[in-house]
Amino acid sequence: MEHKKRLEELNKEALEKLEEYIATKGAAAGEHHETIGVAKDKWQKAWNEFLETLLVLEKLEI
């Protein structure tokens, strides 16, 4: 379970750093803002799939 906490911390840190980076670059134009939003959504979907995979591996005790 400790590894899950560490992975959650890494995910949270990555998203925070992304937000900080975006803030330093100023406001994005409409199209770029959309692209950033889509990328963040993809990141979250991939993260959720990764967690689901970890759950399956835990059930299989691998």
Side-chain angles (χ1 to χ4, degrees):
M1 292 301 272
E2 188 175 316
H3 62 282
K4 281 186 183 179
K5 288 182 183 180
R6 178 64 182 138
L7 290 172
E8 285 289 342
E9 290 171 4
L10 287 172
N11 183 49
K12 183 179 176 183
E13 182 180 334
L15 290 174
E16 287 172 357
K17 288 186 181 219
L18 174 65
E19 291 297 330
E20 288 174 12
Y21 178 76
I22 291 170
T24 62
K25 296 298 179 182
E31 182 179 319
H32 296 294
H33 184 70
E34 251 181 64
T35 303
I36 292 168
V38 168
K40 285 172 67 175
D41 288 343
K42 284 182 181 179
W43 173 274
Q44 282 305 119
K45 286 178 185 175
W47 176 253
N48 290 337
E49 288 182 28
F50 176 69
L51 288 179
E52 288 174 12
T53 302
L54 284 178
L55 288 173
V56 169
L57 291 174
E58 283 183 4
K59 286 180 182 178
L60 296 173
E61 296 181 359
I62 293 180

XYZ file of all heavy atoms in Angstrom:
509
model
N 0.820 -1.194 0.000
C 0.000 0.000 0.000
C 0.864 1.258 0.000
O 0.435 2.270 -0.492
C -0.929 -0.010 1.210
C -2.001 -1.074 1.178
S -3.075 -0.945 -0.227
C -4.289 0.166 0.409
N 2.043 1.160 0.578
C 2.916 2.330 0.617
C 3.297 2.769 -0.790
O 3.404 3.964 -1.055
C 4.163 2.020 1.434
C 5.028 3.237 1.672
C 6.186 2.937 2.583
O 5.985 2.261 3.607
O 7.286 3.388 2.261
N 3.475 1.802 -1.687
C 3.828 2.151 -3.057
C 2.694 2.920 -3.736
O 2.942 3.813 -4.537
C 4.202 0.900 -3.861
C 3.089 -0.091 -4.001
N 2.747 -0.949 -2.982
C 2.249 -0.361 -5.022
C 1.734 -1.707 -3.372
N 1.409 -1.374 -4.606
N 1.459 2.588 -3.397
C 0.319 3.312 -3.975
C 0.308 4.757 -3.509
O 0.037 5.665 -4.296
C -1.000 2.654 -3.584
C -1.336 1.442 -4.380
C -2.728 0.973 -4.005
C -3.101 -0.285 -4.723
N -4.429 -0.751 -4.362
N 0.615 4.965 -2.237
C 0.662 6.324 -1.712
C 1.737 7.135 -2.420
O 1.520 8.290 -2.769
C 0.918 6.316 -0.202
C -0.254 5.856 0.615
C 0.060 5.910 2.091
C -1.096 5.374 2.915
N -0.808 5.408 4.349
N 2.884 6.504 -2.626
C 3.984 7.204 -3.311
C 3.593 7.536 -4.753
O 3.876 8.631 -5.242
C 5.254 6.349 -3.277
C 6.415 6.954 -3.977
C 6.873 8.237 -3.323
N 7.978 8.802 -4.070
C 8.119 10.083 -4.343
N 7.264 10.955 -3.878
N 9.122 10.507 -5.054
N 2.940 6.613 -5.426
C 2.502 6.870 -6.799
C 1.469 7.990 -6.837
O 1.494 8.837 -7.732
C 1.939 5.592 -7.426
C 2.965 4.507 -7.726
C 2.262 3.221 -8.148
C 3.934 4.964 -8.801
N 0.557 8.011 -5.864
C -0.437 9.084 -5.792
C 0.255 10.436 -5.588
O -0.121 11.426 -6.188
C -1.425 8.828 -4.650
C -2.432 7.756 -4.925
C -3.483 8.153 -5.950
O -3.668 9.348 -6.220
O -4.115 7.238 -6.486
N 1.275 10.445 -4.727
C 2.024 11.676 -4.484
C 2.713 12.146 -5.755
O 2.721 13.340 -6.065
C 3.058 11.462 -3.382
C 2.477 11.283 -2.004
C 3.505 10.850 -0.975
O 4.708 10.749 -1.307
O 3.101 10.599 0.167
N 3.293 11.210 -6.500
C 3.964 11.566 -7.755
C 2.978 12.127 -8.772
O 3.283 13.104 -9.467
C 4.687 10.348 -8.339
C 5.948 9.909 -7.624
C 6.447 8.586 -8.198
C 7.022 10.970 -7.730
N 1.813 11.519 -8.862
C 0.793 12.007 -9.785
C 0.353 13.409 -9.396
O 0.274 14.303 -10.243
C -0.404 11.065 -9.814
C -1.452 11.503 -10.802
O -1.144 11.793 -11.957
N -2.684 11.565 -10.363
N 0.107 13.612 -8.123
C -0.320 14.921 -7.640
C 0.763 15.963 -7.898
O 0.479 17.076 -8.356
C -0.630 14.839 -6.143
C -1.152 16.118 -5.554
C -1.470 15.956 -4.084
C -1.906 17.282 -3.488
N -2.163 17.189 -2.052
N 2.000 15.596 -7.632
C 3.123 16.509 -7.859
C 3.253 16.874 -9.335
O 3.475 18.037 -9.683
C 4.414 15.858 -7.364
C 5.639 16.726 -7.493
C 6.892 16.025 -6.997
O 6.795 15.123 -6.145
O 7.970 16.394 -7.480
N 3.089 15.891 -10.204
C 3.186 16.145 -11.643
C 2.101 17.117 -12.101
O 2.365 18.043 -12.872
C 3.092 14.836 -12.423
N 0.877 16.919 -11.622
C -0.220 17.807 -12.001
C -0.004 19.214 -11.447
O -0.283 20.205 -12.128
C -1.552 17.243 -11.526
C -2.027 15.992 -12.272
C -3.276 15.437 -11.615
C -2.272 16.288 -13.737
N 0.524 19.315 -10.228
C 0.803 20.628 -9.646
C 1.883 21.356 -10.444
O 1.766 22.551 -10.719
C 1.242 20.483 -8.186
C 0.118 20.117 -7.255
C 0.590 19.795 -5.849
O 1.819 19.788 -5.592
O -0.277 19.548 -4.986
N 2.936 20.624 -10.821
C 4.008 21.242 -11.598
C 3.508 21.679 -12.971
O 3.926 22.716 -13.488
C 5.195 20.296 -11.723
C 5.937 20.161 -10.422
C 7.185 19.351 -10.574
C 7.842 19.244 -9.205
N 9.266 19.341 -9.277
N 2.616 20.908 -13.552
C 2.026 21.294 -14.830
C 1.251 22.595 -14.678
O 1.395 23.505 -15.501
C 1.106 20.189 -15.355
C 0.312 20.528 -16.612
C 1.242 20.747 -17.795
C -0.699 19.446 -16.906
N 0.448 22.690 -13.629
C -0.326 23.909 -13.381
C 0.596 25.108 -13.167
O 0.342 26.198 -13.674
C -1.255 23.733 -12.178
C -2.395 22.768 -12.421
C -3.359 23.224 -13.511
O -3.533 24.439 -13.704
O -3.918 22.338 -14.173
N 1.687 24.905 -12.413
C 2.655 25.973 -12.184
C 3.287 26.422 -13.503
O 3.444 27.612 -13.761
C 3.748 25.519 -11.221
C 3.311 25.371 -9.797
C 4.396 24.773 -8.916
O 5.562 24.682 -9.346
O 4.054 24.387 -7.792
N 3.654 25.450 -14.328
C 4.274 25.763 -15.616
C 3.319 26.552 -16.498
O 3.703 27.542 -17.114
C 4.695 24.466 -16.316
C 5.298 24.691 -17.679
C 6.590 25.173 -17.807
C 4.572 24.424 -18.838
C 7.149 25.380 -19.054
C 5.118 24.630 -20.085
C 6.414 25.117 -20.193
O 6.948 25.337 -21.430
N 2.072 26.115 -16.543
C 1.072 26.809 -17.355
C 0.880 28.234 -16.838
O 0.774 29.179 -17.625
C -0.255 26.029 -17.363
C -0.079 24.715 -18.145
C -1.379 26.859 -17.953
C -1.248 23.762 -18.026
N 0.879 28.396 -15.530
C 0.694 29.724 -14.935
C 1.849 30.653 -15.286
O 1.649 31.848 -15.515
C 0.549 29.603 -13.425
N 3.071 30.126 -15.369
C 4.225 30.975 -15.689
C 4.229 31.393 -17.152
O 4.832 32.402 -17.495
C 5.559 30.275 -15.380
O 5.673 29.107 -16.185
C 5.671 29.920 -13.914
N 3.560 30.643 -17.998
C 3.531 30.949 -19.427
C 2.407 31.901 -19.794
O 2.299 32.323 -20.937
C 3.403 29.660 -20.262
C 4.579 28.746 -20.130
C 5.826 29.419 -20.640
C 7.035 28.549 -20.493
N 8.256 29.197 -20.924
N 1.572 32.233 -18.843
C 0.461 33.142 -19.123
C -0.744 32.401 -19.653
O -0.761 31.176 -19.765
N -1.748 33.161 -19.992
C -2.998 32.569 -20.486
C -2.797 31.996 -21.884
O -2.163 32.608 -22.732
C -4.095 33.618 -20.498
N -3.330 30.830 -22.102
C -3.234 30.181 -23.403
C -4.371 30.662 -24.295
O -5.458 30.986 -23.823
C -3.305 28.671 -23.235
N -4.091 30.703 -25.581
C -5.129 31.052 -26.551
C -6.167 29.927 -26.566
O -5.929 28.844 -26.046
C -4.505 31.237 -27.926
N -7.311 30.179 -27.159
C -8.421 29.227 -27.160
C -8.040 27.825 -27.577
O -8.324 26.866 -26.875
N -7.386 27.698 -28.728
C -7.029 26.375 -29.241
C -6.012 25.696 -28.327
O -6.103 24.508 -28.060
C -6.454 26.497 -30.651
C -6.099 25.167 -31.283
C -5.551 25.332 -32.682
O -6.089 26.162 -33.434
O -4.584 24.636 -32.992
N -5.044 26.454 -27.835
C -4.026 25.883 -26.962
C -4.630 25.484 -25.617
O -4.242 24.474 -25.045
C -2.876 26.868 -26.750
C -2.125 27.172 -28.000
N -1.380 26.226 -28.663
C -2.009 28.313 -28.713
C -0.839 26.753 -29.734
N -1.203 28.039 -29.793
N -5.556 26.263 -25.144
C -6.224 25.948 -23.885
C -6.973 24.618 -24.010
O -6.938 23.785 -23.100
C -7.180 27.080 -23.501
C -7.840 26.898 -22.179
N -7.151 27.005 -20.996
C -9.120 26.585 -21.852
C -7.976 26.774 -19.999
N -9.182 26.524 -20.482
N -7.615 24.428 -25.147
C -8.330 23.173 -25.408
C -7.367 21.993 -25.453
O -7.633 20.937 -24.880
C -9.055 23.253 -26.758
C -10.542 23.335 -26.650
C -11.182 23.375 -28.030
O -11.051 22.389 -28.778
O -11.803 24.403 -28.326
N -6.235 22.182 -26.138
C -5.231 21.128 -26.259
C -4.689 20.737 -24.894
O -4.514 19.550 -24.604
C -4.071 21.589 -27.170
O -4.604 21.967 -28.432
C -3.048 20.491 -27.364
N -4.441 21.717 -24.051
C -3.947 21.459 -22.698
C -4.989 20.679 -21.914
O -4.675 19.712 -21.219
C -3.572 22.773 -21.988
C -2.350 23.386 -22.656
C -3.329 22.543 -20.503
C -2.057 24.810 -22.222
N -6.240 21.064 -22.032
C -7.319 20.364 -21.334
C -7.443 18.920 -21.777
O -7.610 18.018 -20.947
N -7.337 18.691 -23.079
C -7.420 17.327 -23.610
C -6.249 16.490 -23.101
O -6.418 15.331 -22.702
C -7.447 17.345 -25.159
C -7.243 15.954 -25.739
C -8.750 17.942 -25.652
N -5.066 17.081 -23.079
C -3.882 16.359 -22.607
C -4.016 15.993 -21.127
O -3.650 14.888 -20.720
C -2.625 17.195 -22.840
N -4.549 16.913 -20.332
C -4.742 16.625 -18.909
C -5.761 15.507 -18.722
O -5.593 14.640 -17.863
C -5.174 17.885 -18.167
C -4.038 18.866 -17.951
C -4.502 20.186 -17.387
C -5.030 20.095 -16.015
N -5.373 21.400 -15.429
N -6.810 15.519 -19.529
C -7.808 14.452 -19.461
C -7.193 13.100 -19.820
O -7.455 12.090 -19.161
C -8.984 14.741 -20.388
C -9.866 15.869 -19.890
O -9.776 16.222 -18.686
O -10.649 16.402 -20.706
N -6.360 13.088 -20.857
C -5.692 11.848 -21.256
C -4.779 11.353 -20.140
O -4.698 10.153 -19.876
C -4.874 12.058 -22.533
C -5.696 12.129 -23.781
C -4.798 12.284 -24.997
C -5.581 12.392 -26.273
N -4.695 12.561 -27.442
N -4.079 12.292 -19.502
C -3.196 11.932 -18.396
C -3.996 11.244 -17.285
O -3.608 10.210 -16.772
C -2.502 13.189 -17.866
C -1.695 12.953 -16.625
C -2.145 12.978 -15.336
C -0.315 12.624 -16.555
N -1.120 12.704 -14.474
C 0.020 12.482 -15.188
C 0.683 12.447 -17.518
C 1.300 12.170 -14.780
C 1.958 12.146 -17.087
C 2.254 12.007 -15.738
N -5.132 11.837 -16.925
C -5.948 11.285 -15.851
C -6.527 9.921 -16.227
O -6.578 9.014 -15.400
C -7.069 12.247 -15.469
C -6.609 13.400 -14.609
C -5.905 12.939 -13.353
O -4.746 13.249 -13.136
N -6.572 12.193 -12.519
N -6.942 9.759 -17.477
C -7.465 8.465 -17.923
C -6.375 7.402 -17.871
O -6.606 6.282 -17.416
C -8.027 8.573 -19.336
C -9.348 9.307 -19.394
C -9.843 9.441 -20.819
C -11.103 10.295 -20.857
N -11.542 10.530 -22.238
N -5.171 7.771 -18.325
C -4.054 6.831 -18.285
C -3.697 6.486 -16.843
O -3.405 5.329 -16.519
C -2.836 7.417 -19.001
N -3.758 7.475 -15.964
C -3.469 7.243 -14.552
C -4.484 6.261 -13.952
O -4.110 5.339 -13.242
C -3.484 8.563 -13.797
C -3.301 8.391 -12.329
C -4.244 8.537 -11.371
C -2.111 7.984 -11.656
N -3.714 8.256 -10.133
C -2.401 7.908 -10.285
C -0.830 7.668 -12.085
C -1.466 7.545 -9.340
C 0.106 7.308 -11.130
C -0.215 7.255 -9.785
N -5.748 6.463 -14.272
C -6.789 5.571 -13.757
C -6.608 4.146 -14.271
O -6.783 3.185 -13.521
C -8.165 6.110 -14.116
C -8.515 7.357 -13.346
O -7.980 7.618 -12.274
N -9.405 8.154 -13.902
N -6.245 4.006 -15.543
C -6.000 2.678 -16.099
C -4.811 2.016 -15.412
O -4.818 0.816 -15.143
C -5.761 2.762 -17.600
C -7.015 3.062 -18.398
C -6.758 3.103 -19.890
O -5.829 2.428 -20.373
O -7.491 3.838 -20.570
N -3.799 2.818 -15.120
C -2.623 2.309 -14.427
C -3.005 1.776 -13.042
O -2.586 0.693 -12.644
C -1.575 3.416 -14.318
C -0.352 3.031 -13.536
C 0.542 2.097 -14.029
C -0.103 3.604 -12.300
C 1.665 1.738 -13.302
C 1.017 3.249 -11.572
C 1.907 2.318 -12.076
N -3.811 2.536 -12.322
C -4.257 2.094 -10.995
C -5.097 0.823 -11.084
O -4.971 -0.067 -10.242
C -5.039 3.202 -10.294
C -4.218 4.390 -9.810
C -5.134 5.415 -9.148
C -3.115 3.975 -8.877
N -5.938 0.725 -12.096
C -6.736 -0.482 -12.285
C -5.829 -1.682 -12.543
O -6.075 -2.777 -12.027
C -7.713 -0.305 -13.445
C -8.856 0.637 -13.138
C -9.736 0.908 -14.345
O -9.615 0.199 -15.372
O -10.545 1.844 -14.265
N -4.780 -1.475 -13.323
C -3.821 -2.538 -13.601
C -3.129 -2.976 -12.320
O -2.936 -4.175 -12.087
C -2.780 -2.069 -14.629
O -3.455 -1.674 -15.825
C -1.777 -3.166 -14.947
N -2.764 -2.022 -11.472
C -2.146 -2.367 -10.198
C -3.085 -3.209 -9.332
O -2.650 -4.166 -8.686
C -1.736 -1.109 -9.433
C -0.496 -0.387 -9.922
C -0.258 0.864 -9.081
C 0.725 -1.288 -9.885
N -4.371 -2.853 -9.351
C -5.341 -3.627 -8.577
C -5.428 -5.072 -9.075
O -5.490 -6.016 -8.282
C -6.712 -2.973 -8.631
C -6.871 -1.684 -7.836
C -8.234 -1.060 -8.129
C -6.720 -1.948 -6.357
N -5.442 -5.239 -10.379
C -5.500 -6.582 -10.951
C -4.253 -7.374 -10.567
O -4.333 -8.537 -10.163
C -5.651 -6.517 -12.493
C -5.448 -7.884 -13.122
C -7.007 -5.948 -12.870
N -3.092 -6.724 -10.654
C -1.846 -7.410 -10.291
C -1.826 -7.781 -8.819
O -1.327 -8.856 -8.458
C -0.642 -6.528 -10.635
C -0.383 -6.318 -12.136
C 0.726 -5.312 -12.337
C -0.062 -7.638 -12.826
N -2.374 -6.920 -7.981
C -2.455 -7.255 -6.557
C -3.358 -8.454 -6.316
O -3.055 -9.313 -5.492
C -2.946 -6.051 -5.754
C -1.908 -5.010 -5.520
C -2.415 -3.865 -4.657
O -3.564 -3.935 -4.176
O -1.652 -2.911 -4.480
N -4.454 -8.506 -7.037
C -5.366 -9.641 -6.883
C -4.696 -10.927 -7.322
O -4.932 -12.001 -6.751
C -6.646 -9.409 -7.684
C -7.563 -8.386 -7.070
C -8.803 -8.199 -7.891
C -9.678 -7.116 -7.276
N -10.878 -6.869 -8.088
N -3.858 -10.828 -8.357
C -3.136 -11.996 -8.843
C -1.881 -12.284 -8.014
O -1.238 -13.315 -8.193
C -2.713 -11.799 -10.304
C -3.855 -11.679 -11.313
C -3.292 -11.316 -12.678
C -4.635 -12.969 -11.383
N -1.575 -11.347 -7.116
C -0.404 -11.449 -6.237
C 0.888 -11.571 -7.015
O 1.763 -12.378 -6.717
C -0.562 -12.589 -5.247
C -1.704 -12.387 -4.298
C -1.844 -13.513 -3.293
O -1.058 -14.477 -3.333
O -2.762 -13.411 -2.467
N 1.007 -10.714 -8.028
C 2.238 -10.678 -8.817
C 3.127 -9.597 -8.272
O 2.748 -8.551 -7.921
C 1.925 -10.429 -10.317
C 1.195 -11.628 -10.859
C 3.178 -10.114 -11.084
C 0.827 -11.523 -12.320
